[in-house]
Amino acid sequence: QERISQWHDQSSRYSTELRDFKNQVLGMLETAEKEREAMRSEAESTAVRVDRLEREVDYLETQNPAPPCVEVDETLMEKQVATAKQRKNEKYTKLTDCSDTIASVRAMKILKRFGSTSGLWTKDAAGNSEKIYVFDGTANDTVYVFPRMREFTLFSATRKAARIKLPYPWVGTGHLIYNGHLYYIRQQGPFQVIKFNLANKTVVDSSVFPAEEQIPVFGLSPFTYIEIAADEEGLWAIYATKEDEKNICLAKLDPTSLDIEQMWDTPCPRENAEAAFVVCGALHVVYNTRLPSRSRVQCVFDVSGTLAPEDASLVYFPKRYGSHSSMKYSPQERQIYAWDDGYQIIYRMEMKKKLQV
Protein backbone atom coordinates (compact mmCIF):
# COMPACT_ATOMS: atom_id res chain seq x y z
CA GLN A 1 0.00 0.00 0.00
CA GLU A 2 2.89 2.39 0.74
CA ARG A 3 4.47 1.66 -2.66
CA ILE A 4 1.12 2.12 -4.39
CA SER A 5 0.66 5.46 -2.58
CA GLN A 6 4.21 6.53 -3.54
CA TRP A 7 3.51 5.57 -7.13
CA HIS A 8 0.32 7.68 -7.16
CA ASP A 9 2.24 10.67 -5.77
CA GLN A 10 4.99 10.37 -8.40
CA SER A 11 2.45 9.86 -11.17
CA SER A 12 0.55 12.96 -10.07
CA ARG A 13 3.78 15.01 -9.93
CA TYR A 14 4.85 13.81 -13.38
CA SER A 15 1.42 14.66 -14.78
CA THR A 16 1.66 18.15 -13.31
CA GLU A 17 5.18 18.68 -14.71
CA LEU A 18 4.09 17.36 -18.11
CA ARG A 19 1.10 19.73 -18.15
CA ASP A 20 3.33 22.69 -17.18
CA PHE A 21 5.86 21.75 -19.86
CA LYS A 22 3.08 21.45 -22.44
CA ASN A 23 1.75 24.91 -21.51
CA GLN A 24 5.29 26.32 -21.74
CA VAL A 25 5.83 24.79 -25.19
CA LEU A 26 2.47 26.14 -26.38
CA GLY A 27 3.46 29.61 -25.18
CA MET A 28 6.78 29.39 -27.00
CA LEU A 29 5.04 28.22 -30.15
CA GLU A 30 2.64 31.17 -29.98
CA THR A 31 5.57 33.59 -29.53
CA ALA A 32 7.46 31.98 -32.42
CA GLU A 33 4.39 32.26 -34.62
CA LYS A 34 4.03 35.96 -33.79
CA GLU A 35 7.71 36.57 -34.50
CA ARG A 36 7.43 34.65 -37.78
CA GLU A 37 4.47 36.78 -38.76
CA ALA A 38 6.37 39.97 -37.85
CA MET A 39 9.41 38.85 -39.87
CA ARG A 40 7.18 38.02 -42.83
CA SER A 41 5.61 41.48 -42.68
CA GLU A 42 9.04 43.10 -42.39
CA ALA A 43 10.35 41.07 -45.34
CA GLU A 44 7.35 42.13 -47.44
CA SER A 45 7.91 45.77 -46.45
CA THR A 46 11.62 45.48 -47.31
CA ALA A 47 10.78 43.97 -50.68
CA VAL A 48 8.47 46.92 -51.40
CA ARG A 49 11.21 49.41 -50.43
CA VAL A 50 13.81 47.58 -52.54
CA ASP A 51 11.46 47.59 -55.50
CA ARG A 52 10.85 51.33 -55.05
CA LEU A 53 14.61 51.95 -54.74
CA GLU A 54 15.32 49.99 -57.91
CA ARG A 55 12.76 52.10 -59.78
CA GLU A 56 14.34 55.31 -58.44
CA VAL A 57 17.81 54.10 -59.48
CA ASP A 58 16.51 53.26 -62.94
CA TYR A 59 15.04 56.76 -63.17
CA LEU A 60 18.30 58.42 -62.05
CA GLU A 61 20.27 56.42 -64.59
CA THR A 62 18.01 57.69 -67.33
CA GLN A 63 18.53 61.29 -66.13
CA ASN A 64 22.34 61.19 -65.84
CA PRO A 65 24.73 60.42 -68.67
CA ALA A 66 26.80 57.28 -68.43
CA PRO A 67 30.36 57.78 -67.10
CA PRO A 68 33.16 57.54 -69.64
CA CYS A 69 35.21 54.40 -69.93
CA VAL A 70 38.16 54.50 -67.56
CA GLU A 71 39.84 51.28 -68.57
CA VAL A 72 43.58 51.54 -69.01
CA ASP A 73 44.87 51.97 -72.54
CA GLU A 74 48.42 50.57 -72.43
CA THR A 75 49.51 52.36 -75.61
CA LEU A 76 48.18 55.67 -74.37
CA MET A 77 49.85 55.14 -71.00
CA GLU A 78 53.23 54.47 -72.64
CA LYS A 79 52.83 57.64 -74.72
CA GLN A 80 51.96 59.66 -71.60
CA VAL A 81 55.02 58.32 -69.77
CA ALA A 82 57.30 59.19 -72.70
CA THR A 83 55.88 62.71 -72.94
CA ALA A 84 56.22 63.21 -69.20
CA LYS A 85 59.87 62.13 -69.26
CA GLN A 86 60.59 64.71 -71.96
CA ARG A 87 59.07 67.46 -69.80
CA LYS A 88 60.81 66.37 -66.62
CA ASN A 89 62.86 69.02 -64.80
CA GLU A 90 62.27 71.68 -67.47
CA LYS A 91 62.19 75.28 -66.29
CA TYR A 92 58.71 76.38 -65.33
CA THR A 93 57.78 79.14 -67.77
CA LYS A 94 54.14 79.73 -66.87
CA LEU A 95 54.78 82.32 -64.18
CA THR A 96 52.11 84.44 -62.51
CA ASP A 97 52.37 87.51 -60.33
CA CYS A 98 52.07 85.27 -57.27
CA SER A 99 55.13 86.19 -55.22
CA ASP A 100 54.08 85.21 -51.67
CA THR A 101 55.41 82.48 -49.45
CA ILE A 102 54.63 81.26 -45.94
CA ALA A 103 56.28 83.12 -43.07
CA SER A 104 54.76 81.36 -40.04
CA VAL A 105 51.62 79.88 -38.49
CA ARG A 106 49.59 82.88 -37.33
CA ALA A 107 46.88 80.91 -35.48
CA MET A 108 45.61 77.38 -34.90
CA LYS A 109 41.98 76.38 -34.32
CA ILE A 110 40.90 72.86 -33.32
CA LEU A 111 37.31 72.38 -34.49
CA LYS A 112 36.34 68.88 -33.36
CA ARG A 113 37.13 65.18 -33.53
CA PHE A 114 35.37 63.28 -36.28
CA GLY A 115 35.82 59.85 -37.82
CA SER A 116 38.98 57.76 -38.13
CA THR A 117 42.51 58.66 -37.13
CA SER A 118 43.32 59.26 -40.82
CA GLY A 119 41.24 61.23 -43.29
CA LEU A 120 40.75 64.52 -45.11
CA TRP A 121 38.49 67.54 -44.81
CA THR A 122 38.48 70.56 -47.10
CA LYS A 123 36.57 73.24 -49.00
CA ASP A 124 36.55 73.95 -52.72
CA ALA A 125 40.02 75.40 -53.34
CA ALA A 126 38.85 77.49 -56.31
CA GLY A 127 35.17 78.23 -55.68
CA ASN A 128 33.16 80.38 -53.29
CA SER A 129 31.12 77.53 -51.83
CA GLU A 130 30.85 77.22 -48.04
CA LYS A 131 30.41 73.45 -48.22
CA ILE A 132 32.70 71.20 -46.17
CA TYR A 133 33.77 67.90 -47.75
CA VAL A 134 34.86 65.09 -45.44
CA PHE A 135 36.69 61.90 -46.52
CA ASP A 136 36.74 59.54 -43.54
CA GLY A 137 39.53 56.94 -43.67
CA THR A 138 42.07 56.05 -46.33
CA ALA A 139 39.95 53.67 -48.45
CA ASN A 140 36.25 54.36 -48.97
CA ASP A 141 33.69 55.41 -51.57
CA THR A 142 31.39 57.81 -49.67
CA VAL A 143 32.00 61.54 -49.20
CA TYR A 144 30.19 63.50 -46.46
CA VAL A 145 29.11 67.02 -47.45
CA PHE A 146 28.13 69.57 -44.80
CA PRO A 147 26.40 72.77 -46.02
CA ARG A 148 28.54 75.10 -43.88
CA MET A 149 31.26 75.07 -41.27
CA ARG A 150 28.66 75.60 -38.54
CA GLU A 151 26.85 72.32 -39.26
CA PHE A 152 30.13 70.42 -39.40
CA THR A 153 31.33 71.91 -36.10
CA LEU A 154 28.14 71.58 -34.05
CA PHE A 155 26.94 68.11 -34.93
CA SER A 156 28.98 65.05 -33.99
CA ALA A 157 26.91 62.68 -36.12
CA THR A 158 26.61 62.67 -39.89
CA ARG A 159 22.84 63.14 -39.97
CA LYS A 160 23.26 66.76 -41.10
CA ALA A 161 25.53 65.72 -43.96
CA ALA A 162 24.65 64.76 -47.49
CA ARG A 163 26.36 61.68 -48.89
CA ILE A 164 28.01 61.32 -52.28
CA LYS A 165 28.74 57.74 -53.29
CA LEU A 166 31.58 57.62 -55.80
CA PRO A 167 31.61 55.18 -58.73
CA TYR A 168 35.09 53.95 -57.74
CA PRO A 169 36.58 53.84 -54.22
CA TRP A 170 39.48 56.11 -53.36
CA VAL A 171 42.87 55.32 -51.83
CA GLY A 172 44.94 57.55 -49.53
CA THR A 173 44.20 61.14 -48.48
CA GLY A 174 45.45 63.04 -51.53
CA HIS A 175 42.05 64.15 -52.84
CA LEU A 176 41.13 67.69 -53.88
CA ILE A 177 37.95 69.72 -54.45
CA TYR A 178 38.62 72.28 -57.18
CA ASN A 179 36.12 74.41 -59.08
CA GLY A 180 33.15 72.12 -58.47
CA HIS A 181 35.03 68.91 -59.25
CA LEU A 182 36.54 66.19 -57.10
CA TYR A 183 39.98 64.93 -58.12
CA TYR A 184 40.87 61.63 -56.46
CA ILE A 185 42.97 58.50 -56.93
CA ARG A 186 41.17 55.29 -57.83
CA GLN A 187 41.85 52.45 -55.40
CA GLN A 188 42.23 49.45 -57.72
CA GLY A 189 44.52 48.88 -60.70
CA PRO A 190 47.05 51.42 -62.04
CA PHE A 191 46.95 54.79 -60.36
CA GLN A 192 44.21 56.74 -62.09
CA VAL A 193 43.29 60.35 -61.39
CA ILE A 194 39.49 60.53 -61.53
CA LYS A 195 37.78 63.86 -62.22
CA PHE A 196 34.27 63.73 -60.76
CA ASN A 197 31.61 66.41 -61.27
CA LEU A 198 29.99 67.12 -57.89
CA ALA A 199 26.93 68.78 -59.41
CA ASN A 200 25.62 65.97 -61.61
CA LYS A 201 27.51 63.13 -59.85
CA THR A 202 29.27 61.81 -62.94
CA VAL A 203 32.84 61.02 -63.97
CA VAL A 204 34.00 63.77 -66.33
CA ASP A 205 37.45 62.44 -67.17
CA SER A 206 40.20 60.12 -65.97
CA SER A 207 43.90 59.69 -66.63
CA VAL A 208 46.51 57.10 -65.77
CA PHE A 209 49.26 58.98 -63.97
CA PRO A 210 52.36 58.76 -66.20
CA ALA A 211 54.89 57.61 -63.62
CA GLU A 212 56.34 54.10 -63.51
CA GLU A 213 56.58 51.95 -60.35
CA GLN A 214 55.08 54.41 -57.92
CA ILE A 215 55.66 54.14 -54.17
CA PRO A 216 54.05 55.99 -51.23
CA VAL A 217 54.99 59.64 -51.50
CA PHE A 218 55.35 60.24 -47.74
CA GLY A 219 57.44 57.97 -45.53
CA LEU A 220 55.09 58.42 -42.55
CA SER A 221 51.86 58.14 -44.58
CA PRO A 222 52.14 54.82 -46.47
CA PHE A 223 48.52 54.99 -47.67
CA THR A 224 49.02 58.01 -50.01
CA TYR A 225 50.62 57.46 -53.42
CA ILE A 226 49.59 60.71 -55.14
CA GLU A 227 48.78 64.01 -53.41
CA ILE A 228 46.66 66.35 -55.55
CA ALA A 229 47.24 69.95 -54.41
CA ALA A 230 46.05 73.40 -55.44
CA ASP A 231 47.63 76.82 -55.12
CA GLU A 232 47.31 80.25 -56.71
CA GLU A 233 48.56 78.86 -60.05
CA GLY A 234 46.37 75.77 -60.38
CA LEU A 235 46.69 72.03 -59.81
CA TRP A 236 49.75 70.00 -58.81
CA ALA A 237 50.52 66.33 -58.22
CA ILE A 238 53.00 65.26 -55.55
CA TYR A 239 54.27 61.69 -55.94
CA ALA A 240 57.30 59.36 -55.77
CA THR A 241 58.73 56.56 -57.90
CA LYS A 242 61.22 53.72 -57.42
CA GLU A 243 63.49 55.39 -59.96
CA ASP A 244 64.35 58.00 -57.33
CA GLU A 245 62.75 56.52 -54.26
CA LYS A 246 64.59 58.73 -51.75
CA ASN A 247 63.09 62.03 -52.93
CA ILE A 248 59.66 63.46 -53.70
CA CYS A 249 58.60 64.42 -57.24
CA LEU A 250 56.30 67.24 -58.37
CA ALA A 251 54.14 67.68 -61.49
CA LYS A 252 51.97 70.50 -62.83
CA LEU A 253 48.49 69.32 -63.87
CA ASP A 254 46.03 70.73 -66.36
CA PRO A 255 42.74 70.78 -64.39
CA THR A 256 40.67 70.50 -67.57
CA SER A 257 42.36 67.63 -69.40
CA LEU A 258 44.41 66.11 -66.53
CA ASP A 259 47.51 66.29 -68.77
CA ILE A 260 50.93 66.66 -67.19
CA GLU A 261 52.36 70.06 -68.14
CA GLN A 262 55.77 69.67 -66.48
CA MET A 263 57.53 67.42 -63.95
CA TRP A 264 60.39 67.95 -61.50
CA ASP A 265 62.65 65.89 -59.23
CA THR A 266 62.87 67.77 -55.94
CA PRO A 267 65.60 67.58 -53.29
CA CYS A 268 62.97 66.92 -50.60
CA PRO A 269 63.42 63.45 -49.03
CA ARG A 270 60.53 61.03 -48.51
CA GLU A 271 61.89 59.76 -45.21
CA ASN A 272 59.94 61.10 -42.21
CA ALA A 273 57.66 63.17 -44.49
CA GLU A 274 54.00 63.13 -43.43
CA ALA A 275 52.32 65.67 -45.75
CA ALA A 276 52.97 68.40 -48.33
CA PHE A 277 51.27 71.36 -50.01
CA VAL A 278 52.07 73.95 -52.67
CA VAL A 279 52.00 77.74 -52.17
CA CYS A 280 52.65 80.09 -55.14
CA GLY A 281 54.49 77.40 -57.07
CA ALA A 282 56.65 76.31 -54.14
CA LEU A 283 56.39 72.80 -52.70
CA HIS A 284 56.41 72.70 -48.88
CA VAL A 285 57.08 69.28 -47.33
CA VAL A 286 56.07 68.68 -43.70
CA TYR A 287 58.18 66.28 -41.59
CA ASN A 288 57.68 64.52 -38.28
CA THR A 289 59.17 61.54 -36.45
CA ARG A 290 58.21 57.87 -36.21
CA LEU A 291 56.94 58.57 -32.70
CA PRO A 292 54.74 61.60 -33.52
CA SER A 293 56.21 64.87 -32.33
CA ARG A 294 56.07 68.48 -33.54
CA SER A 295 55.55 68.83 -37.30
CA ARG A 296 57.65 71.28 -39.29
CA VAL A 297 58.25 72.37 -42.88
CA GLN A 298 61.81 71.30 -43.46
CA CYS A 299 62.13 71.36 -47.27
CA VAL A 300 60.88 73.95 -49.79
CA PHE A 301 61.27 73.60 -53.59
CA ASP A 302 60.26 76.56 -55.77
CA VAL A 303 59.74 75.58 -59.43
CA SER A 304 60.16 79.18 -60.65
CA GLY A 305 63.51 79.67 -58.93
CA THR A 306 62.41 82.91 -57.25
CA LEU A 307 62.69 81.53 -53.72
CA ALA A 308 66.11 80.38 -52.56
CA PRO A 309 66.09 77.44 -50.11
CA GLU A 310 67.99 79.49 -47.51
CA ASP A 311 65.32 82.23 -47.72
CA ALA A 312 62.39 79.87 -47.16
CA SER A 313 60.82 79.87 -43.71
CA LEU A 314 61.05 76.48 -42.01
CA VAL A 315 57.63 76.66 -40.40
CA TYR A 316 56.86 74.80 -37.15
CA PHE A 317 53.31 73.74 -36.35
CA PRO A 318 52.10 73.80 -32.73
CA LYS A 319 52.25 70.52 -30.80
CA ARG A 320 48.94 68.71 -31.05
CA TYR A 321 47.84 65.08 -30.76
CA GLY A 322 49.79 62.90 -33.17
CA SER A 323 50.73 63.37 -36.81
CA HIS A 324 48.99 64.78 -39.88
CA SER A 325 47.38 62.37 -42.31
CA SER A 326 46.46 65.27 -44.64
CA MET A 327 47.09 69.01 -45.03
CA LYS A 328 45.16 70.98 -47.67
CA TYR A 329 46.16 74.56 -48.47
CA SER A 330 43.37 76.96 -49.45
CA PRO A 331 44.82 79.65 -51.76
CA GLN A 332 41.76 81.87 -51.32
CA GLU A 333 41.69 81.78 -47.52
CA ARG A 334 45.47 81.43 -47.01
CA GLN A 335 44.93 78.68 -44.46
CA ILE A 336 45.48 74.94 -44.15
CA TYR A 337 42.81 72.32 -43.39
CA ALA A 338 44.55 69.52 -41.46
CA TRP A 339 43.51 66.11 -40.12
CA ASP A 340 45.53 65.14 -37.04
CA ASP A 341 44.78 61.81 -35.37
CA GLY A 342 41.05 62.26 -35.97
CA TYR A 343 41.01 65.97 -35.03
CA GLN A 344 40.11 68.58 -37.63
CA ILE A 345 42.36 71.64 -37.40
CA ILE A 346 42.69 74.96 -39.24
CA TYR A 347 46.09 76.64 -39.49
CA ARG A 348 45.96 80.31 -40.48
CA MET A 349 49.18 81.28 -42.22
CA GLU A 350 51.22 84.47 -42.09
CA MET A 351 52.55 85.32 -45.56
CA LYS A 352 55.57 87.26 -46.83
CA LYS A 353 57.05 88.19 -50.21
CA LYS A 354 59.56 85.93 -51.92
CA LEU A 355 63.12 87.21 -52.21
CA GLN A 356 64.39 87.36 -55.78
CA VAL A 357 67.54 85.31 -56.44
Side-chain angles (χ1 to χ4, degrees):
Q1 289 180 352
E2 292 179 358
R3 287 198 298 271
I4 291 174
S5 177
Q6 184 178 5
W7 179 82
H8 280 296
D9 292 339
Q10 291 178 350
S11 177
S12 177
R13 185 171 65 251
Y14 292 154
S15 298
T16 302
E17 291 178 356
L18 181 61
R19 185 171 58 253
D20 293 342
F21 177 72
K22 182 179 179 181
N23 292 334
Q24 183 179 0
V25 170
L26 290 175
M28 293 174 64
L29 288 175
E30 291 178 0
T31 303
E33 181 64 23
K34 291 179 181 178
E35 291 179 353
R36 189 182 70 84
E37 185 65 24
M39 290 180 64
R40 187 183 63 80
S41 300
E42 186 175 349
E44 291 178 353
S45 176
T46 302
V48 171
R49 291 197 299 268
V50 170
D51 184 62
R52 186 184 304 126
L53 179 61
E54 288 178 348
R55 290 198 301 270
E56 291 176 355
V57 170
D58 291 340
Y59 172 76
L60 290 175
E61 287 180 349
T62 61
Q63 298 301 308
N64 294 318
C69 179
V70 293
E71 296 301 323
V72 179
D73 188 329
E74 298 294 340
T75 305
L76 178 60
M77 182 177 177
E78 292 176 1
K79 190 179 297 183
Q80 288 177 332
V81 171
T83 303
K85 285 183 177 179
Q86 290 178 357
R87 296 176 178 175
K88 200 167 189 179
N89 296 322
E90 293 179 1
K91 185 177 180 180
Y92 187 53
T93 56
K94 188 181 176 182
L95 299 177
T96 68
D97 56 359
C98 179
S99 59
D100 292 336
T101 185
I102 292 177
S104 62
V105 178
R106 185 177 64 187
M108 179 186 77
K109 183 177 181 180
I110 303 172
L111 271 77
K112 62 183 300 183
R113 186 171 191 178
F114 176 90
S116 309
T117 55
S118 298
L120 163 73
W121 76 296
T122 185
K123 283 186 178 181
D124 191 322
N128 297 319
S129 173
E130 292 296 319
K131 291 181 178 179
I132 300 295
Y133 298 88
V134 180
F135 299 77
D136 186 16
T138 60
N140 208 328
D141 64 354
T142 302
V143 184
Y144 296 107
V145 185
F146 292 85
R148 286 174 299 275
M149 185 73 73
R150 175 182 175 84
E151 280 77 7
F152 176 65
T153 306
L154 293 181
F155 296 97
S156 58
T158 59
R159 64 181 182 275
K160 292 293 181 178
R163 289 172 172 81
I164 299 177
K165 189 174 180 61
L166 303 178
Y168 314 105
W170 75 71
V171 62
T173 58
H175 333 301
L176 178 71
I177 307 294
Y178 189 83
N179 199 21
H181 292 83
L182 163 62
Y183 298 80
Y184 73 99
I185 309 303
R186 185 176 177 179
Q187 185 179 23
Q188 298 175 343
F191 292 107
Q192 288 181 284
V193 181
I194 304 294
K195 182 179 179 181
F196 182 80
N197 189 304
L198 294 169
N200 57 25
K201 310 296 188 298
T202 58
V203 174
V204 176
D205 203 353
S206 66
S207 175
V208 177
F209 195 76
E212 299 175 309
E213 295 186 277
Q214 285 189 243
I215 56 177
V217 59
F218 307 123
L220 298 183
S221 302
F223 39 76
T224 298
Y225 286 80
I226 300 176
E227 175 81 22
I228 308 296
D231 73 342
E232 294 78 359
E233 298 184 356
L235 258 60
W236 304 81
I238 307 166
Y239 65 101
T241 66
K242 284 189 177 180
E243 185 179 0
D244 183 17
E245 61 179 329
K246 291 185 178 181
N247 293 338
I248 293 173
C249 299
L250 180 67
K252 186 70 174 66
L253 288 179
D254 184 332
T256 303
S257 63
L258 299 179
D259 289 340
I260 302 293
E261 296 178 355
Q262 288 180 244
M263 304 176 79
W264 298 266
D265 295 325
T266 78
C268 300
R270 292 178 54 251
E271 186 178 4
N272 293 328
E274 68 174 9
F277 50 88
V278 181
V279 179
C280 280
L283 173 68
H284 294 67
V285 184
V286 181
Y287 293 86
N288 208 314
T289 58
R290 292 288 173 182
L291 296 176
S293 180
R294 193 180 181 195
S295 301
R296 71 274 183 200
V297 174
Q298 202 167 319
C299 184
V300 178
F301 174 74
D302 186 9
V303 299
S304 65
T306 59
L307 179 65
E310 60 270 17
D311 295 327
S313 299
L314 301 183
V315 179
Y316 278 82
F317 294 90
K319 181 74 173 90
R320 310 150 328 277
Y321 303 98
S323 60
H324 297 107
S325 62
S326 64
M327 300 183 78
K328 286 297 175 183
Y329 173 69
S330 171
Q332 293 185 332
E333 301 172 315
R334 295 295 177 93
Q335 61 187 20
I336 293 174
Y337 293 86
W339 191 294
D340 173 18
D341 197 27
Y343 290 88
Q344 289 72 50
I345 301 175
I346 292 178
Y347 296 108
R348 292 186 173 90
M349 312 308 292
E350 189 74 34
M351 311 300 288
K352 67 177 183 180
K353 293 297 180 182
K354 293 181 182 178
L355 298 176
Q356 297 294 326
V357 296

